[in-house]
Amino acid sequence: MNGSTRSLSSSLVVVTFLGIILVLFPLGAQGFAQSEDDQRAWLRALDSLSSERMLADVTTLSSPAFNGRQAGSEDDFRSAAWVSDEFGASRISLAFVPYDRFNIPLGGKPNRRTGFMSKPHQAGIIGPEPTLQFSTARTPDNQRLGTDFLPVLDSPSAHARAPIVFVGYGIVDTAADMDDYAGIDVNNCIVLFLRGKPDHFKGTITHADKVRIARQKGAVGYLTATGPVLSSYELRRGVTGQPSAFYGLSPAPDNLPGAWISTSRAEQIIAGADHSNQGHLRNLQDQLNRASESRSFSTEYFGALDWESRQEQGALINVIAVLPGTDPQLTQEAIVIGAHRDHFGRQAGLLFPGADDNASGTAVMLEVARVLAEAGAHPGRTILFISFSGEEQGLAGSRLYLERPLVPTTMTRTMINIDHAGVGNGRLTVGVTGLEKNVALEAGQTAGCTDKLDVFGFFPGGDHVPFKEAGVPTITVVSGGVHPHFHQPTDTADTINPEILQTVARYVLALAWQLANVQ
Ligand SMILES: [Zn+2]
């Protein structure tokens, strides 16, 4: 018996069980559909979720045809059109977004409705074959792309040769009595700083802040690495020392060429040319984690960073579909089901397919829309389905939506975000803000997966964050356990587990139906 057959038969058991429960105990004010027809339609929807269809969608979106769906690129434009077509094919209405360039009628002729909400967007691309070399008086050492280093994706072109200076976490905050640059000159140097911050530092610091500080201090480039001492959260998330793709989000005037290097390469630099000081980086990080005193020093290494990068002008596109609410008392209100579609594209000559991140969440969102529409289910509140772009570039798509929400945020009861829904240990990590955790657990009962839920409070990072900031309650759904291909070129469709997609989809559908109908 394969996974999907097994989950299908278990879903039948749950559906039958639910049917009995609902006949015996109509949920009324607690919750679900208003009419028996709607209730039956919803159960049909739950039963018709197809892991095969979701896996096929993940495979399509993460195929080379979409070239990694980088926000602002032609590839992401095509992926937006594909999502729009999929919504259209499933008889769900595409939203009309007023004043959007893709929706404004031109020359008196209305365009075909696309559901697009867009704005101009610039995409940074690292050219092929970037190089990074470390050298001491004795040993020039070429680093391997992807394994030892990866340029930060919005890094400017790099042609830097300079001594490497270790600057701890790279933080300067006089109010917090913290100065990782105290007593050290980094002018015309390449700085090496650890990612994150020590627990005792209560201020906020972003990667872009660290780059700005390095530039102000006269650095000509930077290297960054995960320190060897990991927090329990990082361990749980399966954080490794490998370099990952990411955008530093430094504004152009503050930016510097930079690369993420592996923890082992950072350890090598800190250990010294004769490798005499093995374990020194771990000791330094332990000391930095205990007290704010600077541990910075000039290493024995030189670095050479060489690559070309370019900026391309395009459009950032969200795609929005609508399942209208039918309860006269609730139709002004909406819930949002969102998943980001964008990923990193092709960078440094490497394709980042983004199957788990986040073709998986996109496939789940499409499938939930599809089964609700095809079953003829009528939710009390309107359900908006939003395929966001630009998540990997500072949550640009969800921020765009909140600049022009189709339903006012005060009338948006909850935003459900699905991100990374395809790999892991079979459990679901659920982050809840602005709602009782019981809401998340109740949906687990309906979906038959309560024993698989790990419910937390705020889950950091993702398109739910701007909604939370706008005062909208949020529920984030991520497949539990380690995501070993996180932000790597190896995040491909063959690593996706369809049974996990099915569990996430059942849960999201139950959650959405509950939230769309609860009084
Ligand atoms: Zn990502």
Side-chain angles (χ1 to χ4, degrees), residues 340 343-344 357 391-392 420 486-487:
H340 81 88
H343 198 52
F344 297 120
D357 184 12
E391 190 272 349
E392 306 286 12
H420 293 85
F486 179 72
H487 289 189

Side-chain angles (χ1 to χ4, degrees), residues 28-35 38-39 42 325-327 330 335 372 377-383 413 509-519:
Q30 246 262 314
F32 300 110
Q34 308 81 353
S35 72
D38 282 333
Q39 191 59 38
W42 177 70
T326 52
D327 184 325
L330 301 177
I335 68 156
L372 281 172
H378 300 113
R381 295 186 178 85
T382 293
I383 302 178
R413 289 288 295 256
L509 179 53
L511 195 55
W513 194 251
Q514 177 181 321
L515 290 164
N517 292 296
V518 73
Q519 298 292 323

